[in-house]
Amino acid sequence: MSDAPEEPKRRESRLPEYDVATASLLMECFYGLAAAQDAVLRRFSQAERTDANPSVGAPVGITQGAYRPLDIEMRFSLSASAVLHTDVDEWAASVQNSVDEALPVLMKKIFDQMDEILEEAGQVVDAKGQPLSIAWVLQALEKVQIDFDEDGNAQMPVIVLHPDTLKRLAETPPTPEEERQLEALIERKRQEFNARRRVRKLD
């Protein structure tokens, strides 16, 4: 047996509320910085929440319970000195490193989940390898819900395109027939919107 005195056991005390507050602050910083650096994620962050009306059937474009949590690993590394001395520069660098690592993974998972939800909701338009055209855009608009403001103006959905695709689409403006189809589509969507609004008022 050794006569050496035993090291006293260190008592660790943690304050759960501090852990929660730190995690919350880190996540807020992460998503704020990520949204500032990714235009698509920024649009998601700015999107307005819509009310759910369970008394009527889900309109085209809405899948009840479609949201599924996304699992993603985000690593934040801070030195003890940075914590003790409130080193904001090291804190910011740590968050930026986390964004650099996790943002590409996050966006891939978001788009993969969107593909699954849209497929299940019957909102996928398969162009079968053909270039995007006004005709395909019209088909896509048929599958989504369009709302209208108080003045009756259509709140058209945002379409995210590659710059080359956008340029090609701009070089082929809609034909007079396609313009008439778009006007008829918007009128149908206006009638659907008014019908939903009447049902909400009855409730």
Side-chain angles (χ1 to χ4, degrees):
M1 294 182 60
S2 172
D3 294 332
E6 293 185 2
E7 287 282 340
K9 292 184 179 180
R10 297 179 60 185
R11 296 179 57 189
E12 292 190 2
S13 60
R14 299 184 64 88
L15 299 176
E17 60 271 27
Y18 278 33
D19 292 342
V20 172
T22 301
S24 177
L25 176 59
L26 284 170
M27 292 303 297
E28 185 176 348
C29 292
F30 174 88
Y31 280 110
L33 191 56
Q37 298 177 28
D38 188 283
V40 176
L41 185 61
R42 184 161 59 251
R43 298 290 299 196
F44 291 157
S45 303
Q46 295 172 348
E48 295 183 4
R49 295 182 179 272
T50 56
D51 62 328
N53 187 359
S55 63
V56 298
V60 174
I62 294 180
T63 302
Q64 299 290 349
Y67 173 75
R68 299 156 191 149
L70 294 175
D71 293 326
I72 183 170
E73 179 180 344
M74 289 175 283
R75 293 181 295 177
F76 299 94
S77 177
L78 285 174
S79 67
S81 174
V83 175
L84 293 173
H85 299 91
T86 319
D87 190 334
V88 177
D89 289 339
E90 185 173 333
W91 177 285
S94 175
V95 176
Q96 182 61 65
N97 290 337
S98 177
V99 170
D100 292 340
E101 291 181 6
L103 181 57
V105 179
L106 173 63
M107 295 310 297
K108 183 180 185 305
K109 289 196 173 190
I110 287 177
F111 282 113
D112 286 347
Q113 186 178 95
M114 287 175 60
D115 287 342
E116 293 175 7
I117 293 172
L118 292 173
E119 184 73 38
E120 293 172 4
Q123 291 186 270
V124 175
V125 176
D126 187 359
K128 303 185 185 302
Q130 300 180 34
L132 184 65
S133 65
I134 297 298
W136 290 114
V137 173
L138 289 172
Q139 286 194 40
L141 290 176
E142 286 282 6
K143 294 177 177 289
V144 300
Q145 175 178 308
I146 297 177
D147 293 335
F148 294 78
D149 62 19
E150 294 298 326
D151 297 323
N153 299 311
Q155 304 297 293
M156 301 299 286
V158 175
I159 301 178
V160 180
L161 300 173
H162 187 278
D164 293 343
T165 304
L166 179 61
K167 180 180 178 182
R168 185 168 58 248
L169 194 63
E171 292 172 348
T172 55
T175 64
E177 175 59 25
E178 288 171 338
E179 290 180 349
R180 286 193 291 271
Q181 291 176 7
L182 178 59
E183 291 174 359
L185 182 150
I186 291 177
E187 182 55 35
R188 288 196 303 275
K189 297 295 182 179
R190 179 180 286 107
Q191 294 175 7
E192 293 171 3
F193 173 78
N194 290 335
R196 291 195 304 272
R197 188 164 56 178
R198 285 196 294 272
V199 170
R200 284 196 291 266
K201 288 182 178 179
L202 288 175
D203 289 345

